[in-house]
Amino acid sequence: MVTTTLHTVEDLPSLLDSVRPWELWRGVLRPMTVTGGPHGSVICRLTAALGPHVYGRGLGELFCEATAFVLERAPDTVLCPDTAFVAKARLPEGGIGPGLLELAPDLSVEVLSPGDRPAEIRAKIAAYLRLGVRAVWVIDPQQRIVQIHAAGEREILLTERDDLEGGEVIPGFRCSVAALFAGLRA
């Protein structure tokens, strides 16, 4: 019989290799893979588009892929979206303090890498929505598409001919999908 030790957020400092990214799925430590150029380019282009809109309007905060969000306790789930947005009204009173954020972002963005398994991505989307994330954007640099997921709504699929809009989560935000892939080889 194989047993798996379930870990908690408090166990993480003694378990982690500071070089390799990680997530904690219902108590099970899962190292993340290192990504390539398309992944990083898309994240930077999206963040560059979101930043002026979010900060210029005082809508909230953006977080990069190294930011861990504690989404669930007992067993603990800690996920690190490639980009995340938290609305101003939901940020901790008095500002962001040290340590991990114990809240679900309003928006989680996942940029696919060639090694990502479809079943794992579907499970991650379901977990985000189940744990309180309002919208999940899945960006696929290889197929040059964006999937939008929201609780209780049908998936929306955008191509390079479309615009990505923030909807109710990031009101007024609009960005060409093609612009996200502009630096990538076709």
Side-chain angles (χ1 to χ4, degrees), residues 24-27 71-79 104-105 108 122-136 149-152:
L24 190 63
W25 280 80
R26 298 189 59 82
L71 299 177
E72 182 175 43
R73 291 289 196 154
D76 293 0
T77 296
V78 179
L79 298 180
S108 290
R122 284 191 302 274
K124 192 176 232 186
I125 294 165
Y128 278 136
L129 296 176
R130 177 178 59 81
L131 297 171
V133 175
R134 295 173 57 199
V136 180
H149 303 268

Side-chain angles (χ1 to χ4, degrees), residues 43-114:
I43 290 171
C44 284
R45 286 177 179 273
L46 177 62
T47 304
L50 281 168
H53 183 83
V54 167
Y55 297 126
R57 290 167 178 75
L59 298 177
E61 288 291 333
L62 294 170
F63 297 90
C64 71
E65 63 191 318
T67 306
F69 289 86
V70 180
L71 299 177
E72 182 175 43
R73 291 289 196 154
D76 293 0
T77 296
V78 179
L79 298 180
C80 304
D82 290 321
T83 299
F85 165 76
V86 178
K88 183 177 183 177
R90 296 188 56 249
L91 289 166
E93 193 172 316
I96 301 165
L100 307 182
L101 290 168
E102 295 212 28
L103 58 86
D106 292 282
L107 170 68
S108 290
V109 179
E110 293 292 336
V111 178
L112 300 182
S113 294

Side-chain angles (χ1 to χ4, degrees), residues 46 49 137-139 143-148 155-166 173-182:
L46 177 62
W137 296 349
V138 179
I139 303 174
Q143 292 189 38
R144 295 164 116 53
I145 60 171
V146 177
Q147 301 167 15
I148 301 172
E155 173 188 318
I156 298 171
L157 180 66
L158 303 176
T159 68
E160 289 184 279
R161 295 184 302 272
D162 299 312
D163 285 339
L164 174 61
E165 297 181 19
F173 175 75
R174 180 185 212 109
C175 171
S176 161
V177 171
L180 299 176
F181 308 121

